[in-house]
Amino acid sequence: MTSNPMTDVGHSSPGGARLWWGAVIPTAGIILGAAVVLLGWYPLLPELLANQWKDGAVSTVRPFLATVAPILASAVAALFCLLVLHWTGKLDGWGRRLSVAALTALPAFLAGTTLLLAGTQRGLPDPYLAPDPMWNVAWLAGVALAWGVVACLLAGGTPLTAADREASAPEILPLADGERALWMRTETGWVFLAAGVGGGLVMVLSGLLTPFWILSLLGAVLIVLGLPLSRWTVTVSSAGVNVRSVAGLVLLGTPVHPDAVARADNLAGPLEVLGWGLRIGAKGSKGLILRNGEVLAVNRPGARSFTVSVKDAATGAALFNAEVQRQSD
């Protein structure tokens, strides 16, 4: 039976209960609470609600239900996405905390937005008198982000294991006594070029063409960070697996360990590790996922693992296992 070493975790683990009680149920309570409060406010609201502003003045008004229902429905959909990731096993290990934070903060923000829109219009005879909530929305975003951080801490992490793969013997590269071997490959980090350099250029142009000049500054930072992360060198030797970016800005890797096992694997899509880029999992697990396809995965005791996208991963894994065998003798 074939399974994925980066997502094979039992769904009945304690991490599942923590996810429900620490993130899902409280976030559902926030959405439900917002709906109850809105119903209580309904008699105090004007017939139409302001929902868009331009230059500080109301530009669009809509009926109460047409304003709040789509927002609350989006909040429910975001929370349901979190449950789908959990039920399909995609929320185990890689990216779990970031996904929990994002998919609890977003519903909280959306639910809070409905309260913000309706709360400032209670008792108003005319919705066009409603104040622009722009700065309050910024505060709400901060509160929602804080809730996302709390939720991901309460939900905790789950280990990354490869128990189902232990039945098959790992490939070992035959080395003569005293022979030293070095395996090296260079990979392009297209995800960093697209997100860092491409996204940075878009932000720089947006800052130059709009009053939001700070976007240009943020875009320049993204470009400066994205360029050094666009090229990676993967090395396997007696020291273990080492991954280095241009100019050594980022150094990753795992040493040879007596109980470590390396294998070549294949990623069918980004959902297997919840995205591309630098991935952080539970139990100190790390990964550099640059694309779909071949990866070199090293699993250590305690469910700790290291995974990197690289071509000819089978040769690198076989050399790593040979070094483990040699240093264990």
Side-chain angles (χ1 to χ4, degrees):
M1 180 179 69
T2 300
S3 59
N4 191 310
M6 291 164 287
T7 56
D8 290 339
V9 180
H11 296 173
S12 60
S13 63
R18 292 184 62 180
L19 175 70
W20 278 96
W21 292 108
V24 175
I25 292 177
T27 304
I30 292 174
I31 299 173
L32 180 61
V36 171
V37 171
L38 288 169
L39 289 176
W41 285 351
Y42 181 73
L44 306 176
L45 297 173
E47 184 177 350
L48 299 175
L49 286 182
N51 68 342
Q52 291 186 25
W53 285 256
K54 184 177 181 180
D55 298 328
V58 176
S59 60
T60 305
V61 296
R62 299 180 67 186
F64 170 80
L65 192 59
T67 298
V68 303
I71 301 176
L72 289 178
S74 298
V76 172
L79 186 59
F80 184 71
C81 286
L82 180 64
L83 290 175
V84 170
L85 289 175
H86 173 60
W87 291 329
T88 57
K90 304 301 183 183
L91 199 63
D92 293 329
W94 297 103
R96 174 185 171 92
R97 290 185 175 89
L98 180 60
S99 299
V100 171
L103 294 176
T104 53
L106 179 59
F109 174 75
L110 293 173
T113 298
T114 61
L115 296 178
L116 189 60
L117 288 173
T120 56
Q121 299 181 56
R122 286 179 298 167
L124 288 181
D126 186 351
Y128 285 95
L129 300 176
D132 188 346
M134 179 178 65
W135 293 111
N136 289 331
V137 169
W139 283 107
L140 175 62
V143 172
L145 181 61
W147 162 242
V149 172
V150 171
C152 78
L153 293 176
L154 292 175
T158 54
L160 311 176
T161 68
D164 289 348
R165 288 190 178 271
E166 296 303 322
S168 60
E171 296 291 332
I172 299 177
L173 190 69
L175 295 177
D177 292 341
E179 180 182 1
R180 289 289 180 260
L182 177 70
W183 179 87
M184 181 181 296
R185 292 291 184 275
T186 302
E187 298 287 338
T188 300
W190 295 108
V191 61
F192 297 104
L193 281 174
V197 179
L201 287 174
V202 171
M203 294 181 69
V204 168
L205 291 175
S206 299
L208 294 175
L209 299 175
T210 68
F212 303 102
W213 58 268
I214 194 171
L215 291 176
S216 294
L217 180 61
L218 295 175
V221 172
L222 280 179
I223 294 173
V224 170
L225 292 176
L227 283 173
L229 300 181
S230 64
R231 202 69 173 164
W232 297 84
T233 300
V234 182
T235 304
V236 178
S237 65
S238 58
V241 180
N242 292 287
V243 182
R244 177 188 178 95
S245 68
V246 174
L249 181 64
V250 177
L251 299 173
L252 301 170
T254 184
V256 171
H257 188 281
D259 296 318
V261 178
R263 302 181 188 281
D265 209 330
N266 185 73
L267 290 184
L271 281 180
E272 291 197 34
V273 288
L274 291 179
W276 290 310
L278 293 170
R279 314 302 297 150
I280 305 297
K283 304 292 185 181
S285 296
K286 298 183 289 292
L288 175 65
I289 310 301
L290 303 176
R291 61 176 184 277
N292 297 345
E294 283 186 279
V295 294
L296 171 59
V298 178
N299 294 279
R300 294 178 57 187
R304 179 175 298 180
S305 70
F306 178 75
T307 307
V308 59
S309 296
V310 65
K311 296 176 183 177
D312 191 26
T315 302
L319 177 56
F320 181 90
N321 292 328
E323 293 294 348
V324 170
Q325 184 182 63
R326 169 181 284 173
Q327 296 184 27
S328 300
D329 292 341

